[in-house]
Amino acid sequence: MTATAPTPELAPRVRRGAIAQSVMDSLVVARRNLIRMIRIPEMVIFGLIQPIMFVVLFTYVFGGSIKVGATISPQAYREFLMAGIFAQTVTFATAGAGAGIADDMHKGLIDRFRSLPMARGAVLTGRTIADLVQTTLTLVVLAGVALIVGWRTHENIGKVLLGFLLLLLLGYAFSWIGALIGLIVRTPEAATSGGLIWLFPLTFISNAFVDANQMPTFLRHIAEWNPFSATVQACRELFGNLPPGFVTPDAWPMRHPILASVLWSVVILLVFRTLAVRKYRSATA
């Protein structure tokens, strides 16, 4: 009689916790979107053209004609401007985030993700992480262009890096607004329009391009409490780019811009991430 070899016991399957599983799923989706960006470099190139155009146009067309603080010096305006351009760039990435998610919904890719054993919120988190990586690369290139046209910082490297971290936090928070828009609309084209139409008044009724102290009273109050303005003001202080004779407004966000920037970004992130994940679950239920 032939002896039967004992069957070896299979190693027990490792089960990750819910948070760890969600993180892993988010990174997988982020990797997928980053690979897509690499294969379609036009996405990154076209995303760089607009902020570079803003830098060049505002620097050479308006520089020397707009008073900031107590001066109309082109160099003072150039340094005053760049924090606003950086902040505008990271927030305008909202439209790309919304269009990407709307495109995935339109093509049925979200339905394929739904059929996989993965965390529901990982699809949106992965997309926003990929957008954050692209935004970081855009900021690096834009900072290089700014240095070429004469922008300089006057604080230590720690403060400068903190300024860029605040910009990335703002951009990441706004990407969740784009995610919600992408889930609400039906086409990528509508997501692009919906992601930009409200950003123009948000960025222009702020301290990004002009000294808010020179605005009419009602617009000045809006600009001072604008979440966008808080980050711009914080970056100007951290970069050492406040112009000579600049008078800091009395509004609390302008007096404490770093804290206000963090608070605004965290609130926007928590609110719109919650709304976007809830919308995603209802849309794929």
Side-chain angles (χ1 to χ4, degrees):
M1 183 174 180
T2 306
T4 304
T7 303
E9 295 183 2
L10 297 176
R13 183 181 178 182
V14 177
R15 297 182 62 85
R16 298 189 183 98
I19 296 178
Q21 185 64 50
S22 179
V23 170
M24 293 300 298
D25 293 341
S26 299
L27 292 177
V28 169
V29 176
R31 181 175 178 272
R32 173 255 174 191
N33 284 284
L34 289 173
I35 291 175
R36 183 187 180 196
M37 291 177 188
I38 294 173
R39 292 177 177 174
I40 311 176
E42 305 94 283
M43 297 172 61
V44 179
I45 294 173
F46 290 149
L48 285 169
I49 292 176
Q50 179 177 308
I52 291 175
M53 288 178 59
F54 269 103
V55 171
V56 175
L57 290 175
F58 273 85
T59 297
Y60 294 108
V61 175
F62 297 105
S65 61
I66 296 180
K67 182 179 180 181
V68 287
T71 180
I72 57 171
S73 163
Q75 178 62 25
Y77 182 69
R78 191 175 296 122
E79 295 185 354
F80 176 88
L81 171 69
M82 284 315 305
I85 295 291
F86 290 147
Q88 183 192 56
T89 300
V90 300
T91 53
F92 270 38
T94 300
I101 290 174
D103 186 50
D104 288 343
M105 292 284 289
H106 184 69
K107 292 179 178 178
L109 184 64
I110 299 298
D111 291 332
R112 294 180 221 169
F113 281 132
R114 186 182 62 173
S115 65
L116 298 174
M118 62 187 302
R120 289 294 180 90
V123 175
L124 301 181
T125 302
R127 174 74 207 196
T128 55
I129 291 174
D131 290 331
L132 179 62
V133 173
Q134 182 177 356
T135 301
T136 303
L137 295 175
T138 302
L139 272 182
V140 171
V141 175
L142 191 58
V145 174
L147 290 171
I148 292 173
V149 300
W151 171 66
R152 296 294 183 269
T153 60
H154 306 285
E155 294 289 352
N156 61 62
I157 187 65
K159 288 186 176 181
V160 173
L161 290 178
L162 178 57
F164 281 107
L165 286 177
L166 291 178
L167 289 167
L168 292 175
L169 178 60
L170 180 72
Y172 185 67
F174 270 63
S175 68
W176 282 100
I177 302 178
L180 181 61
I181 294 173
L183 291 169
I184 292 174
V185 302
R186 297 183 179 180
T187 64
E189 293 78 10
T192 301
S193 300
L196 287 175
I197 193 170
W198 59 274
L199 278 173
F200 279 101
L202 181 76
T203 55
F204 280 91
I205 306 178
S206 72
N207 60 359
F209 307 110
V210 297
D211 186 348
N213 291 314
Q214 302 175 25
M215 293 182 175
T217 303
F218 75 100
L219 282 181
R220 186 178 73 246
H221 291 322
I222 295 174
E224 289 171 351
W225 286 89
N226 186 339
F228 186 84
S229 295
T231 299
V232 173
Q233 181 73 6
C235 288
R236 286 190 181 126
E237 290 188 3
L238 292 169
F239 296 159
N241 287 160
L242 291 176
F246 178 80
V247 178
T248 302
D250 291 329
W252 185 86
M254 298 295 98
R255 290 287 180 179
H256 309 85
I258 298 175
L259 178 59
S261 175
V262 173
L263 289 177
W264 273 121
S265 296
V266 170
V267 169
I268 293 170
L269 174 59
L270 292 177
V271 170
F272 283 93
R273 187 186 189 282
T274 300
L275 294 175
V277 172
R278 184 175 300 173
K279 179 63 178 177
Y280 172 78
R281 288 174 176 171
S282 65
T284 58

